[in-house]
Amino acid sequence: MTHPPHLPQNVDQADLPEASWDDPARGSVRWKTLFSGDVTATDSLVCGIALMSPGDTFALHFHPQPEVYFGLEGEVDVTVNNTIHRLKPGVALFIPGNAVHGVIRADQPARWFYSFAADSFAEIAYTFV
């Protein structure tokens, strides 16, 4: 499949709304979508910023696509296949496709950049466990 050529995109996260899950069982994590083919003229990558406040959760889940987290602010424990990884500013975490991962509970404010190799966020088939 070939994709049409796209122009460079410039997005300021300060101008973007926060999104969250409709189902509280999925957790209270919030995010801002930076690039996703359903909302920006982009393809091949989905990128955003995840946001957590103290007490927030991100239920354990998996999806076929691998994902990368890159810590921006604060620290949080990310569980990946029953192993805890401390995500903090400057730390990158590769999460293999179909790996069960999530954040049991944030103990401080945290923000991280995330990215998937997909055309749009809608393609990410989340399965919560």
Side-chain angles (χ1 to χ4, degrees):
M1 175 179 186
T2 60
H3 296 283
H6 293 289
L7 297 174
Q9 298 286 300
N10 183 339
V11 177
D12 186 337
Q13 65 88 29
D15 297 332
L16 300 173
E18 288 184 10
S20 61
W21 300 113
D22 292 332
D23 180 356
R26 292 180 170 203
S28 48
V29 64
R30 300 165 327 277
W31 64 90
K32 292 184 174 194
T33 300
L34 298 170
F35 299 111
S36 177
D38 53 346
V39 292
T40 54
T42 56
D43 64 14
S44 306
L45 286 175
V46 172
C47 301
I49 297 174
L51 308 112
M52 294 187 85
S53 297
D56 280 350
T57 62
F58 190 6
L60 293 174
H61 64 281
F62 63 92
H63 35 71
Q65 298 85 351
E67 185 175 15
V68 171
Y69 287 179
F70 183 79
L72 299 173
E73 178 183 332
E75 296 186 18
V76 68
D77 288 334
V78 180
T79 301
V80 182
N81 288 338
N82 297 314
T83 300
I84 294 175
H85 301 269
R86 190 71 171 173
L87 187 66
K88 58 186 178 181
V91 171
L93 176 60
F94 174 79
I95 302 167
N98 293 311
V100 175
H101 60 287
V103 177
I104 303 304
R105 185 180 182 280
D107 57 4
Q108 61 182 277
R111 292 185 328 122
W112 67 87
F113 174 86
Y114 63 84
S115 186
F116 299 96
D119 288 332
S120 73
F121 189 74
E123 290 180 16
I124 311 303
Y126 281 81
T127 301
F128 285 85
V129 298

